[in-house]
Amino acid sequence: MKRALPRLVICLSLLCCLSLAGQAMGALDYPRPQTAVADYAKIIPPDYARRINLAATELLQKTGAAVVVATVPSLDGETIEQAAVHLFQKWGIGKKGEDKGLLFLIAPKERRLRIEVGYGLEGVITDATAGAIRDQALVPYLKKGQIGPAMLAGVSAAAGIIAGDAGVQLTGVPKVKVRVRSGRGFGWGGLILAVLVFFWMIRSARRRGKGGPGARGGGSGILPAMLLGSMLGSSMGGGHRGGGFDSFGGGFGGFGGGMSGGGGVSGGW
């Protein structure tokens, strides 16, 4: 009896944990929608839901990328990231094997949003690009309480970037510009190199002033200057590969077992 008691306690503890885990996962256990808009919070006006669905459908037909918009009344204790990954995987956004899915998730009660990116779109909708869509297309409308315009603008911006990368034209999607910052800079390595080049140039100048070996033609300072100029050019140039800095932006068949890559951005308003 003494040996059986610890086993019973362990079994009961496991059952409790599994029960709590099931409740947590079931909190956002919404069924897969039939269109590109899963408005479970009922906050997107019908006209905007229709326009979003048309834009997502055209994008899917021309590029194979599936963009889905979802709203939930509450996160029920989950983080927006957990909720987005759960719904993305449960619904299987994007074609299996290609994983070109994109989820816009809005939780109005907590005033949180998430853009979750599938594996196949991570090279196109980078974290920086998703952040630009969030800050420039979504948040300005969300702050005004305009959920429909926000979601249409976000989807249109993403659709324009994806279509641009695929080399196709979208005719039924509003053109929405977003500017993506390069995000490239010196970094610590570049900073150290810049300091070394700077001191090299000073040393060369002093040697020229004293009539040393470097005084003939001033050639000793040319290479450091070229290195510094090249480094400055590469760090200040840059660009967003795949969409450029400025991007414009029946049934829905965008659910086919796609997987989330864990990329994307979250935020509030």
Side-chain angles (χ1 to χ4, degrees):
M1 182 67 181
K2 290 182 179 179
R3 292 182 179 179
L5 186 59
R7 294 179 181 178
L8 180 61
V9 172
I10 292 173
C11 290
L12 290 174
S13 300
L14 288 173
L15 287 173
C16 289
C17 290
L18 289 173
S19 177
L20 290 173
Q23 291 178 5
M25 292 299 291
L28 291 173
D29 195 22
Y30 292 98
R32 189 172 69 187
Q34 299 299 312
T35 69
V37 180
D39 185 22
Y40 291 108
K42 301 187 183 303
I43 55 176
I44 300 178
D47 181 56
Y48 280 97
R50 180 185 62 81
R51 294 168 66 185
I52 293 169
N53 187 60
L54 289 174
T57 300
E58 182 181 358
L59 180 70
L60 178 65
Q61 292 173 347
K62 293 184 176 181
T63 69
V67 178
V68 175
V69 170
T71 70
V72 294
S74 172
L75 294 173
D76 291 332
E78 292 189 21
T79 65
I80 191 73
E81 294 81 9
Q82 290 172 333
V85 170
H86 174 58
L87 291 178
F88 199 113
Q89 308 295 68
K90 176 180 171 58
W91 294 346
I93 302 174
K95 184 179 179 180
K96 186 176 182 180
E98 295 183 359
D99 304 315
K100 294 196 297 183
L102 190 67
L103 173 64
F104 288 81
L105 178 62
I106 297 290
K109 181 179 179 181
E110 292 84 0
R111 299 176 69 88
R112 297 287 293 171
L113 68 92
R114 173 72 181 174
I115 302 176
E116 186 72 18
V117 185
Y119 282 112
L121 288 178
E122 285 188 329
V124 180
I125 305 295
T126 64
D127 290 353
T129 304
I133 294 172
R134 174 197 62 195
D135 297 337
Q136 300 170 38
L138 292 171
V139 171
Y141 285 111
L142 292 174
K143 286 183 176 180
K144 300 176 183 178
Q146 299 175 349
I147 307 296
M151 303 318 296
L152 178 60
V155 169
S156 299
I161 292 171
I162 296 169
D165 180 74
V168 301
Q169 295 289 330
L170 300 176
T171 58
V173 180
K175 294 181 180 180
V176 177
K177 291 183 179 181
V178 293
R179 180 171 293 276
V180 184
R181 294 181 179 179
S182 169
R184 296 175 62 187
F186 281 118
W188 284 108
L191 181 60
I192 292 172
L193 180 59
V195 171
L196 291 175
V197 170
F198 177 73
F199 280 109
W200 190 3
M201 294 174 68
I202 291 178
R203 182 183 177 185
S204 298
R206 288 179 176 176
R207 292 175 68 182
R208 288 197 302 272
K210 294 180 180 180
R216 297 179 181 178
S220 61
I222 295 177
L223 179 60
M226 290 176 63
L227 289 172
L228 183 59
S230 175
M231 183 174 59
L232 285 170
S234 63
S235 65
M236 295 179 68
H240 170 64
R241 290 178 294 176
F245 287 106
D246 292 316
S247 300
F248 300 93
F252 181 70
F255 304 103
M259 299 287 288
S260 165
V265 294
S266 306
W269 70 89

